[in-house]
Amino acid sequence: MMQTQGHPAVSAHSARSALGLTAVALFVAAANLRPAIAAVSPLADHIRSDLRLSATGLSLLTTVPTLAMGVCAPAAAVVARRFGLHRGVLLGLAVITLATAARAAGASSWLQLSCSAAAGAGIAMAQTLLPAVVKARFADRVGLVTGVYTAGLGLGGAVAAGVSAPLADAIGSWPGALASWAVLALAGTVLWSVAGRALGPDGVAAPSGPVTRGLPWRSARAWRITALAAGNSALYYCELAWVAALLQDDGGHNAAGAGLLLTVMISIQVVSMLAVPALLGEGRDMRQGLAWTITLTAVGFLGLAFAPGAATWLWIVALGIGHGGLFTLVLTLPVVAGRDSAEAGRISAMAFFVGYACAALAPVLVGALRDSMGDFHLAFGLLGGVAALMLLPLARLYGGDETGVRR
């Protein structure tokens, strides 16, 4: 923390102001972790037509950055050791800004894929280190602050998905619409830099030593958190990719109606990302919250699988409340489990490394099942089963030693 001399009250106020600014910067930084991916889907028809891509080729624009997010997550620990946590996040945001802006250079498939991969690498750096920043700066408000930046993450994706198509129409260029999200990324970069300066020259740095070397592959606790993160990520990207399509194919909704329901679901998730950790409070056992949100998420998927045209709003609300709250709680786990900010970063890196590999593959598997079966019943039934299976690692996640999460 910043040094205080002479005027304790003024210095304490300055310290609180710096932390408040950091919390705002966390929210804005997180809002930049999804637009590079979420903006592609509403522009799919324009992109596929101009670049003459097949559906598989088009899917690479979302699969490649997701894979990059997983592959590059372990590198975040190296960046943190070299530059510190705040500068590591700043570097990630700068990469996102440059990669996103470069999309305006033209309608070339290789250019767009390269920019997608670079943006995914930047997202990996920033997203992996944010939990460590929370651990270092907000140890007494982990759940609430994690909810703040998770809400920023969800809101950024929702706005990008809803605004990109009208933006492309207004600009007259889909590359320009994709590149326009660099403005938000630049704002996040500047705000994060200001927050780092407000914290002073002793800003958070990742400690050196064995705890920062390598990923915790031999930790049972880390593997259980990774299993929950993998399930969470796979379900999230399947929602983004296929809920609207299911509502049209199996639920009888038109494109506008399906899009509205998806927007409502994401909006509820954003509210739930903030509300669930606030309701749980700090210092309480997270098992009950995790169990309830996992159960609601499973109910939502199973309802859409077997009764998509009946009680549709019920399933949408269940997924909104359940998966929104689950998302925040899962991202909180590395912060709670780590003994310090460095270990929290290592657990996060491992969880993202495995989790985003699953996130990249799961939507492809759902699409393959849809093609082979002719509907989404089996695919979404299996997703509901995946959600239910997340209760298994949760059952042994808690405890007072290495096998559990300390609260």
Side-chain angles (χ1 to χ4, degrees):
M1 297 293 286
M2 294 185 298
Q3 300 294 325
T4 60
Q5 293 180 359
H7 301 282
V10 174
S11 298
H13 175 74
S14 298
R16 287 194 298 270
S17 297
L19 290 176
L21 179 60
T22 302
V24 174
L26 274 166
F27 180 87
V28 178
N32 285 286
L33 302 182
R34 289 299 177 268
I37 300 172
V40 172
S41 180
L43 301 174
D45 290 341
H46 297 298
I47 296 172
R48 183 162 54 184
S49 174
D50 287 355
L51 299 184
R52 299 178 182 178
L53 295 174
S54 65
T56 301
L58 180 65
S59 69
L60 291 176
L61 288 176
T62 54
T63 300
V64 165
T66 306
L67 284 173
M69 288 160 64
V71 170
C72 296
V78 178
V79 172
R81 284 202 303 272
R82 178 66 179 84
F83 300 107
L85 294 179
H86 275 277
R87 289 182 179 178
V89 174
L90 183 64
L91 177 60
L93 291 172
V95 171
I96 295 170
T97 302
L98 294 174
T100 303
R103 285 177 143 172
S108 162
S109 57
W110 285 109
L111 172 67
Q112 296 299 327
L113 284 172
S114 298
C115 291
S116 296
I123 293 169
M125 277 188 281
Q127 182 169 270
T128 303
L129 297 180
L130 284 178
V133 173
V134 173
K135 181 72 173 181
R137 286 296 179 187
F138 302 96
D140 57 338
R141 297 179 181 179
V142 164
L144 180 60
V145 176
T146 301
V148 167
Y149 88 75
T150 306
L153 187 151
L155 185 61
V159 172
V163 172
S164 292
L167 193 58
D169 293 337
I171 296 174
S173 165
W174 62 261
L178 291 177
S180 66
W181 294 104
V183 176
L184 178 63
L186 180 61
T189 303
V190 172
L191 184 58
W192 190 262
S193 178
V194 172
R197 288 198 298 270
L199 287 171
D202 57 339
V204 183
S208 59
V211 75
T212 63
R213 296 173 186 165
L215 300 183
W217 298 114
R218 297 183 180 180
S219 167
R221 180 180 67 245
W223 271 111
R224 288 169 191 137
I225 293 173
T226 296
L228 289 168
N232 178 59
S233 297
L235 295 175
Y236 175 76
Y237 282 95
C238 286
E239 287 171 2
L240 291 183
W242 295 115
V243 164
L246 176 145
L247 292 172
Q248 292 181 70
D249 292 358
D250 300 347
H253 295 270
N254 59 27
L260 174 63
L261 285 167
L262 180 61
T263 301
V264 169
M265 184 193 76
I266 295 173
S267 300
I268 295 173
Q269 286 179 345
V270 171
V271 175
S272 183
M273 287 171 181
L274 281 169
V276 168
L279 290 173
L280 285 178
E282 299 295 338
R284 291 181 58 183
D285 194 324
M286 292 170 61
R287 279 178 296 189
Q288 186 175 8
L290 283 164
W292 275 108
T293 53
I294 288 172
T295 301
L296 276 175
T297 302
V299 167
F301 275 110
L302 293 174
L304 289 178
F306 301 112
T312 306
W313 280 97
L314 178 61
W315 317 134
I316 290 297
V317 170
L319 277 178
I321 297 174
H323 205 181
L326 176 62
F327 207 103
T328 296
L329 295 179
V330 169
L331 288 184
T332 303
L333 287 174
V335 185
V336 174
R339 289 167 292 187
D340 51 36
S341 60
E343 187 176 20
R346 292 173 62 224
I347 296 174
S348 294
M350 178 174 166
F352 290 141
F353 179 66
V354 176
Y356 283 115
C358 296
L361 294 175
V364 177
L365 295 176
V366 170
L369 284 173
R370 164 64 180 84
D371 291 339
S372 62
M373 303 300 296
D375 55 47
F376 286 98
H377 296 325
L378 176 59
F380 268 64
L382 290 175
L383 291 176
V386 169
L389 286 173
M390 291 172 68
L391 292 169
L392 295 179
L394 171 63
R396 298 192 62 192
L397 186 63
Y398 280 79
D401 55 16
E402 204 282 331
T403 63
V405 171
R406 292 177 287 277
R407 281 299 283 175

